[in-house]
């Protein structure tokens, strides 16, 4: 599940992200782009990120890119190896368990804290539909990205910028774990119906019911990923 370099990656998509930087490009914006690409499964665990190639693709200086790498290292998405550069982090089983603890605390609390219906479910619904359409096209990586957006939208129901920032990092980190699932269709497909069920329950104004569904969902997902995760030496 590891690789030595990103030399095999097609960075033309990343070059298209240059427009997001505008004239006031900053390390934070670069880090945001790379974080989203990690969440999309664009960079795989163990891959070395080339300063030259990524810097050229985004049109940013090496210093800006190094600062972005430092930010993402602080978020536990990258690791720096002396004299070798920055690599996408390979998670441990303990990391996975901790990520799911955070998800339970944040996502379930966001649903539990909803006031009176109707709830602002537009982004949740968009993510559910995007996942179903990706599955219909047999594009399971895109289905995984839509699933990440679904959970980001659920956390977003808390209406907190700090929660949103926290979950962007947590869910990007989680995507690194999902790469251990060899049969992505078998992993993602059952959750499409469960996503739809949670959305429908929220549309019916039943936040308590949606929280119960979500709690069982997260526990099932945690168990699946942990069981699939390889044993690591040391």
């Amino acid at each position: 599940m590891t690789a030595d370099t990103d030399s095999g990656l097609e960075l033309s998509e990343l070059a298209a992200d240059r427009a997001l930087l505008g004239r006031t490009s900053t390390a934070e914006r670069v880090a945001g782009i790379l974080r989203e690409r990690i969440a999309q499964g664009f960079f795989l665990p163990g891959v070395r990120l080339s300063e030259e190639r990524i810097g050229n693709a985004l049109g940013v200086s090496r210093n800006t890119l190094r600062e972005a790498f430092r930010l993402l290292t602080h978020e536990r998405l990258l690791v720096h190896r002396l004299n070798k550069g920055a690599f996408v982090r390979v998670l441990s089983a303990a990391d996975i368990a901790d990520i799911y603890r955070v998800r339970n605390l944040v996502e379930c609390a966001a649903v539990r804290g909803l006031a009176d219906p109707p709830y602002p479910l537009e982004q949740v619904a968009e993510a559910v539909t995007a996942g179903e359409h990706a599955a219909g096209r047999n594009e399971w990586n895109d289905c995984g990205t839509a699933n990440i957006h679904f959970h980001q939208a659920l956390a977003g129901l808390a209406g907190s910028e700090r929660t949103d920032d926290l979950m962007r990092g947590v869910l990007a980190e989680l995507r690194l774990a999902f790469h251990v699932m060899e049969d992505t269709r078998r992993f993602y497909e059952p959750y499409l119906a469960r996503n739809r069920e949670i959305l429908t329950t929220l549309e019916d104004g039943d936040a308590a019911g949606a929280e119960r569904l979500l709690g069982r969902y997260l526990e099932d997902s945690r168990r699946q990923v942990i069981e699939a995760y390889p044993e690591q030496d040391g």
Side-chain angles (χ1 to χ4, degrees):
M1 62 181 290
T2 62
D4 291 331
T5 180
D6 67 356
S7 59
L9 291 173
E10 175 55 63
L11 294 184
S12 60
E13 290 186 41
L14 193 61
D17 289 333
R18 185 186 299 193
L20 299 176
L21 299 175
R23 295 185 179 181
T24 58
S25 61
T26 65
E28 288 82 4
R29 289 192 179 92
V30 173
I33 288 170
L34 296 178
R35 184 188 304 109
E36 178 63 18
R37 288 299 186 173
I38 290 171
Q40 293 171 354
F42 187 75
F43 294 113
L44 300 179
V47 163
R48 182 179 68 82
L49 300 185
S50 166
E51 290 182 2
E52 181 179 3
R53 297 187 70 228
I54 293 176
N56 288 339
L58 290 175
V60 298
S61 71
R62 181 163 292 186
N63 285 340
T64 295
L65 190 59
R66 286 178 177 174
E67 177 60 24
F69 284 175
R70 280 193 288 270
L71 292 170
L72 294 176
T73 298
H74 180 70
E75 295 179 16
R76 296 178 298 277
L77 294 176
L78 304 182
V79 293
H80 183 267
R81 298 177 186 168
L82 188 62
N83 299 323
K84 292 184 177 181
F87 292 75
V88 179
R89 189 159 173 253
V90 178
L91 304 184
S92 68
D95 291 322
I96 306 306
D98 194 38
I99 287 170
Y100 274 90
R101 279 193 291 269
V102 174
R103 294 186 68 193
N104 270 286
L105 287 169
V106 175
E107 292 185 49
C108 290
V111 173
R112 187 185 319 124
L114 287 169
D116 294 332
Y119 309 128
L121 299 173
E122 292 81 5
Q123 291 185 344
V124 179
E126 287 174 6
V128 170
T129 300
E132 292 169 345
H133 287 173
R137 300 190 303 269
N138 206 35
E139 294 176 352
W140 296 102
N141 187 65
D142 289 348
C143 186
T145 298
N147 190 61
I148 291 290
H149 291 163
F150 170 74
H151 290 283
Q152 182 75 54
L154 285 180
L157 295 175
S160 165
E161 291 184 8
R162 291 171 179 81
T163 297
D164 292 343
D165 289 343
L166 169 66
M167 289 303 294
R168 271 191 285 271
V170 167
L171 292 173
E173 198 176 357
L174 180 67
R175 187 61 182 265
L176 299 179
F178 285 170
H179 291 299
V180 305
M181 310 307 293
E182 294 182 359
D183 188 341
T184 53
R185 176 174 183 167
R186 185 177 179 182
F187 177 59
Y188 287 123
E189 193 168 34
Y191 289 100
L192 292 170
R194 297 179 76 166
N195 290 352
R196 174 63 68 179
E197 184 181 17
I198 289 171
L199 171 61
T200 300
T201 303
L202 287 170
E203 288 174 335
D204 290 341
D206 184 5
E211 184 189 355
R212 288 192 295 272
L213 291 171
L214 179 59
R216 291 195 291 269
Y217 175 122
L218 292 176
E219 175 55 25
D220 290 344
S221 177
R222 183 200 64 80
R223 186 175 60 252
Q224 278 185 277
V225 177
I226 289 290
E227 288 176 353
Y229 225 69
E231 294 290 337
Q232 294 185 342
D233 296 332

